[in-house]
Amino acid sequence: MPTNLPPEALDKWEEVEAARAPRDKMEKMIEFLKYVPHHKGTLKLRGEIKRKIALIREDLEDKKRKGTGKSSGGPKLFVEKEGSAQVAILGPTNVGKSCLMQAVTKANVFVSPTKYTTTQPVPGIMDFGDVQFQLVETPAVMEGSGDGRAWGPVTLGVARNADGVILMVDLARNPVEQVELVISELEKSRVLVKKPNGRVEVERRHAGTALRVILVGKLIDCTLREVEDLLRGYKIRDAIVRIGGEVTLDDVEDAIFETTTYKPAVIVANKADSPGTIANLQKLKKHVNNRIQIVPMSCEKKLGVEELGKALIQSLGIIRIYTKEPGSKTDTGRPFALKKGTTIGDLAKSIHKEFISNFLFAMVWAKRLPFSPKKVGLSFVLDDGDIVEIHTRSG
């Protein structure tokens, strides 16, 4: 059931939402916690707010150490995104994360048999066909990472910020224990790699917009009125709330605090070429039971790179859309990497906002269409490999 916070706590949360500066937001969160009662129903909430406070505090202290224009060499909590998608590489120590980076990117990484060598996130670009993935090697996950031990806040902060994750295991050791350790520590920080039954998105709008709940799915053990009452109880009066799949009132409350997030995942099973690892790979496959795609690899010999690229495209739901100028015989050769479900309108916005206001029609070339090219409008849903020619009033 929802945490049923007292009115004083709800008022304090409104102050948290209004705060913009990191230090001010942190201080408001500390105040908010004083009004959150201690009982089983608030355990997850208190843990999540404490995690956020710790992240802000560490970031502020890091900036203080660096000073203006200086670098302390301290760990970064977030890595600025580049490429088509950012993917965090997570795993226990010595599973081959640095070796993977060396195999598929040009990042300057140090491969060492010494445990816990990586102490800060290291980004690098993996080129796969027409798609660029930004891989981020993170410090090793250990028991207690989700509770703030060692580099846990850094590693799990990178995972939360990424578009997807690679869970890396060493097939020469027990892969089931390794993957369960990583998943367990992720879940402590409310990052899920197993797709939830439902999804709630809270999009804040300017004052006067009013509250609008769009339900495309099913509410479990609650009504739409109860959802609206909960949202208004948290002073959410101007927002669009989208609910898909099967959702409980707890899920709605989680979305308010942004506590739970889902990240598509791929398991990289390293050292697949080592003697005696076939049995461990089968154990891992049986345990995972097709819930997460497994890519056997030998990072040292660069085996499985092609399969990893395909798995990332599939798990992240990336489609490549090619464009061509009206009258041109060929496309530009450089696709837009977009999400499944993207429409002509979404593509037009990503090119230039004027393409929407001046839009006339689009021509789409695709093998799946009975007649190609096909003349379509803004709502037409695109698929991987489509070639699009947009016609506007100006052109």
Side-chain angles (χ1 to χ4, degrees):
M1 291 299 292
T3 51
N4 294 320
L5 297 178
E8 297 86 353
L10 296 175
D11 290 339
K12 289 296 177 183
W13 182 252
E14 189 175 20
E15 293 179 17
V16 172
E17 293 277 77
R20 291 293 173 261
R23 184 174 296 280
D24 188 28
K25 187 173 280 287
M26 179 182 72
E27 290 171 353
K28 297 296 184 186
M29 285 182 181
I30 293 170
E31 279 293 309
F32 168 70
L33 278 180
K34 293 178 182 178
Y35 293 89
V36 177
H38 290 263
H39 57 71
K40 190 175 181 180
T42 63
L43 192 63
K44 291 192 298 183
L45 172 60
R46 294 184 66 85
E48 177 61 18
I49 298 301
K50 286 178 181 178
R51 185 191 67 83
K52 289 184 176 181
I53 291 170
L55 284 174
I56 296 173
R57 181 180 285 120
E58 187 167 349
D59 194 37
L60 289 171
E61 288 175 356
D62 184 50
K63 288 175 181 176
K64 185 178 178 180
R65 286 194 302 268
K66 289 179 180 179
T68 305
K70 296 180 181 179
S71 174
S72 67
K76 296 178 181 178
L77 292 178
F78 301 104
V79 176
E80 189 173 344
K81 290 185 178 182
E82 294 181 18
S84 306
Q86 185 185 87
V87 182
I89 305 175
L90 312 171
T93 190
N94 278 8
V95 293
K97 298 188 296 295
S98 297
C99 192
L100 174 61
M101 290 289 287
Q102 196 175 69
V104 301
T105 77
K106 295 179 181 178
N108 185 20
V109 294
F110 177 61
V111 179
S112 169
T114 306
K115 292 184 177 182
Y116 305 109
T117 304
T118 302
T119 58
Q120 64 179 20
V122 180
I125 296 294
M126 172 186 174
D127 287 304
F128 182 73
D130 298 324
V131 179
Q132 284 191 325
F133 295 105
Q134 184 193 40
L135 304 187
V136 183
E137 181 189 1
T138 63
V141 175
M142 63 183 75
E143 192 171 339
S145 289
D147 301 315
R149 183 183 175 191
W151 305 280
V154 176
T155 295
L156 300 174
V158 171
R160 179 173 281 270
N161 188 54
D163 300 302
V165 296
I166 289 174
L167 311 180
M168 196 156 183
V169 299
D170 178 354
L171 283 177
R173 290 141 53 188
N174 188 327
V176 173
E177 285 184 1
Q178 295 169 63
V179 80
E180 281 306 309
L181 168 66
V182 179
I183 291 174
S184 173
E185 297 304 320
L186 281 169
E187 288 179 349
K188 284 183 187 177
S189 65
R190 312 307 302 282
V191 178
L192 307 180
V193 294
K194 297 169 184 174
K195 199 164 188 177
N197 293 328
R199 185 176 181 84
V200 183
E201 295 178 359
V202 180
E203 183 184 338
R204 309 297 175 110
R205 292 297 184 96
H206 57 79
T209 305
L211 177 63
R212 183 182 171 200
V213 179
I214 301 173
L215 177 61
V216 184
K218 181 181 179 183
L219 294 174
I220 306 297
D221 296 331
C222 65
T223 65
L224 192 59
R225 177 65 179 270
E226 287 173 318
V227 170
E228 291 173 345
D229 288 345
L230 177 70
L231 293 164
R232 291 194 176 97
Y234 279 103
K235 312 298 175 68
I236 299 175
R237 303 185 184 93
D238 301 289
I240 294 178
V241 180
R242 297 179 178 87
I243 299 175
E246 296 184 352
V247 166
T248 66
L249 214 51
D250 275 345
D251 295 327
V252 177
E253 190 171 49
D254 270 356
I256 294 170
F257 291 105
E258 299 176 344
T259 56
T260 302
T261 182
Y262 163 70
K263 300 296 174 183
V266 170
I267 296 174
V268 167
N270 192 25
K271 301 183 184 177
D273 60 324
S274 297
T277 58
I278 295 176
N280 277 346
L281 179 59
Q282 292 306 316
K283 286 179 185 176
L284 180 63
K285 287 181 177 179
K286 184 178 180 181
H287 178 75
V288 173
N289 194 25
N290 294 320
R291 291 189 298 269
I292 304 174
Q293 192 169 350
I294 299 172
V295 180
M297 292 189 71
S298 168
C299 296
E300 189 175 330
K301 295 182 180 177
K302 298 186 179 181
L303 300 176
V305 175
E306 182 84 8
E307 290 73 14
L308 175 60
K310 291 177 181 177
L312 289 175
I313 285 177
Q314 185 178 351
S315 67
L316 292 166
I318 290 176
I319 59 172
R320 292 156 292 187
I321 306 301
Y322 299 82
T323 58
K324 62 189 290 290
E325 297 283 342
S328 174
K329 292 183 179 180
T330 59
D331 62 75
T332 58
R334 298 191 67 179
F336 287 84
L338 303 167
K339 293 285 187 182
K340 280 183 181 176
T342 290
T343 64
I344 290 288
D346 298 323
L347 173 64
K349 285 178 191 175
S350 64
I351 298 172
H352 199 286
K353 61 182 180 182
E354 289 185 2
F355 273 53
I356 291 289
S357 55
N358 296 322
F359 182 84
L360 287 174
F361 63 91
M363 301 298 295
V364 176
W365 284 258
K367 293 179 180 178
R368 71 182 188 284
L369 297 174
F371 300 100
S372 184
K374 181 179 181 180
K375 185 177 180 179
V376 300
L378 289 171
S379 61
F380 181 82
V381 179
L382 295 164
D383 204 349
D384 187 50
D386 285 358
I387 300 172
V388 179
E389 182 181 275
I390 295 179
H391 292 254
T392 62
R393 291 185 181 89
S394 57

